[in-house]
Amino acid sequence: MSNSFELPEGFLWGASTAAHQIEGMNVNSDFWAHEHNELLAGRFKDKSGDACDSYHRWPEDMDLLAGFGFTDYRFSIEWARIEPAPGEFSDAEIAHYRSMVEGAVERGLRPMLTLNHFTVPLWFDERGGWLAHDAVELFGRFVEAAAPIFTDGVERICTINEPNMVARFATLRKMITGADGDVAASDHGYDSATTQALIKAHKKAVDVLGHIAPHIQTGWSVAIANHHVVGGGEDIAAEIALQARDVFVRASEGDHWIGVQSYARVFVGAQGVLPVPDEAPKTLTGWEYYPPALGEALHTVAALVPGTPIIVTENGIAENDDTRRISYTSGALEGMRGALGDGIDVRGYYHWSALDNYEWGSYIPTFGLIAVDRKTFVRTPKPSASWLGAAGQNRSIELGVDSAN
Ligand code: BGC
């Protein structure tokens, strides 16, 4: 029986990547330094190294995406390359990202740029990261300096990727370095000072862009997990939701759009977050295989910020079996169709990820539509790439059976 999903008029249809995960040799970034820090050695199975060498091979990546039929591509610009030392901006790197924007447009891919996808320049991290007294100003200065990248071809900018994860990393970092005392239990692993700094940084970037590139529609992308409460964890789940998710979603009020990034759900019991149950089907990241997560996330966000259009800026699965990727994505798209049917204003979908890439410490979780040989960098598209991409041209996609657990 046919089960096709017709894309709404003007619906964005793309794939997502992030600079540190695909470019390679991001040597001036904080994450590169952490990968090489002996104190943190146990935390990183792999170093990013050359990644997918997309710094040089981006034309090939874009050719592939456009060839599958995608009409949109979300990628990030790397602050650590553009400003490798405080106040020292590289015209060559700015020109590099401008070429990428132009290259995308030439191929019929509308670029959505992310200004910050987790990594920051090492010098920024060393002076306190987002908690430094002038962090917001420094981020604003970087956005202003990057202005030549924001040509007419750039229709959308995501200021900060998953600020809620960044607020969580900050707490982890405190635990590792022993800095700034204990982490308050009431924070549930999220550093509230970082949260507030990130909200200010987002608003600063929106403000700067409003002046230098008023044609651009701005937003930020939040990791959205719904909580599955077991054994009386309702109160604690509500507390966690507030700090881990809702405060970031509400901060998008007044923006042109909010990005929803959805992969799975989180189990919460009376003591807090629980591990994924043993019997649950899982993916290569150990997360639950749970395609309805996307539909649920869209309903949650629509309830929190009813007036803000939503773009799915990431959704995907770490999986070696590509048929399971198609099943998972079909289930997720079913959920998105349901949300649209309920009147939720969803404007687009970007799959995570275009390429198998550096999953923040390991190359094992493969999220890509395209496999990448780790030695030769040869790209090999998976069947999911043409299945998903073709919808960009056909404006309709046949959903697979979501039975593969
Ligand atoms: C991030 C990506 C990451 C993906 C899968 C999101 O948290 O934005 O950088 O690779 O999820 O973990």
Side-chain angles (χ1 to χ4, degrees):
M1 209 182 72
S2 159
N3 180 15
S4 62
F5 166 49
E6 310 293 324
L7 272 52
E9 183 75 30
F11 205 74
L12 311 169
W13 198 253
S16 277
T17 58
H20 189 78
Q21 294 177 271
I22 63 165
E23 286 183 342
M25 294 292 144
N26 189 16
V27 298
N28 293 313
S29 67
D30 63 332
F31 211 85
W32 179 277
H34 299 336
E35 290 166 30
H36 293 81
N37 182 335
E38 281 179 15
L39 288 174
L40 300 175
R43 301 191 64 87
F44 300 103
K45 190 190 158 298
D46 298 313
K47 297 185 173 75
S48 55
D50 283 314
C52 306
D53 191 31
S54 290
Y55 183 80
H56 302 106
R57 293 169 201 255
W58 64 263
E60 186 185 345
D61 296 341
M62 289 189 193
D63 283 346
L64 286 168
L65 293 175
F68 301 139
F70 286 110
T71 51
D72 295 85
Y73 180 33
R74 170 176 179 247
F75 58 93
S76 69
I77 62 172
E78 185 59 52
W79 185 2
R81 289 187 195 276
I82 294 174
E83 192 182 0
E88 228 175 290
F89 294 94
S90 163
D91 292 331
E93 296 292 4
I94 290 171
H96 169 85
Y97 289 112
R98 189 180 166 113
S99 302
M100 285 185 73
V101 164
E102 289 164 356
V105 173
E106 275 163 25
R107 290 165 175 83
L109 294 169
R110 285 171 294 205
M112 173 192 278
L113 300 184
T114 307
L115 303 179
N116 176 264
H117 196 119
F118 293 160
T119 46
V120 292
L122 180 58
W123 62 261
F124 179 85
D125 182 64
E126 281 175 339
R127 56 202 299 296
W130 294 107
L131 292 180
H133 72 280
D134 52 357
V136 170
E137 293 313 311
L138 292 172
F139 187 54
R141 184 177 73 173
F142 154 63
V143 178
E144 249 182 275
I149 303 169
F150 312 140
T151 65
D152 288 350
V154 181
E155 293 177 31
R156 286 169 200 83
I157 283 186
C158 166
T159 60
I160 299 174
N161 180 75
E162 293 191 352
N164 41 352
M165 288 302 115
V166 180
R168 200 174 163 80
F169 295 160
T171 306
L172 282 176
R173 194 148 193 278
K174 274 189 198 173
M175 288 173 171
I176 294 161
T177 59
D180 300 321
D182 294 335
V183 178
S186 59
D187 278 353
H188 296 291
Y190 292 82
D191 181 62
S192 48
T194 304
T195 298
Q196 292 314 317
L198 289 164
I199 291 173
K200 283 190 192 135
H202 166 62
K203 293 196 183 296
K204 177 77 181 175
V206 168
D207 186 50
V208 170
L209 289 166
H211 286 97
I212 62 175
H215 65 284
I216 292 178
Q217 302 201 352
T218 43
W220 71 351
S221 293
V222 183
I224 307 293
N226 274 12
H227 295 130
H228 184 71
V229 178
V230 274
E234 281 82 6
D235 291 352
I236 203 150
E239 264 181 42
I240 296 171
L242 196 65
Q243 306 215 24
R245 187 186 70 197
D246 301 357
V247 62
F248 299 94
V249 173
R250 290 212 174 91
S252 75
E253 237 157 21
D255 288 350
H256 294 106
W257 53 273
I258 175 165
V260 164
Q261 315 213 141
S262 157
Y263 292 90
R265 62 180 167 176
V266 170
F267 293 83
V268 181
Q271 305 305 316
V273 173
L274 298 171
V276 178
D278 286 345
E279 64 281 10
K282 300 199 184 59
T283 71
L284 289 175
T285 38
W287 302 343
E288 186 191 18
Y289 174 94
Y290 187 65
L294 179 58
E296 293 174 5
L298 291 170
H299 280 89
T300 296
V301 170
L304 285 166
V305 281
T308 310
I310 300 175
I311 301 175
V312 178
T313 43
E314 285 185 25
N315 168 248
I317 176 172
E319 182 53 62
N320 288 329
D321 173 0
D322 198 52
T323 56
R324 203 170 179 232
R325 184 179 333 281
I326 293 178
S327 295
Y328 173 89
T329 308
S330 293
L333 294 177
E334 297 244 22
M336 184 171 80
R337 179 170 58 186
L340 283 159
D342 290 339
I344 295 178
D345 187 5
V346 189
R347 304 277 177 96
Y349 175 90
Y350 294 72
H351 192 77
W352 184 270
S353 179
L355 305 165
D356 284 347
N357 61 38
Y358 183 61
E359 178 57 23
W360 306 109
S362 169
Y363 278 105
I364 288 180
T366 42
F367 278 93
L369 299 169
I370 303 168
V372 179
D373 185 289
R374 298 247 41 79
K375 282 252 168 291
T376 62
F377 308 109
V378 167
R379 273 77 169 133
T380 307
K382 305 175 190 177
S384 53
S386 37
W387 167 74
L388 192 66
Q393 296 306 320
N394 303 338
R395 310 309 293 165
S396 144
I397 182 166
E398 194 60 30
L399 302 182
V401 184
D402 174 35
S403 59
N405 285 344

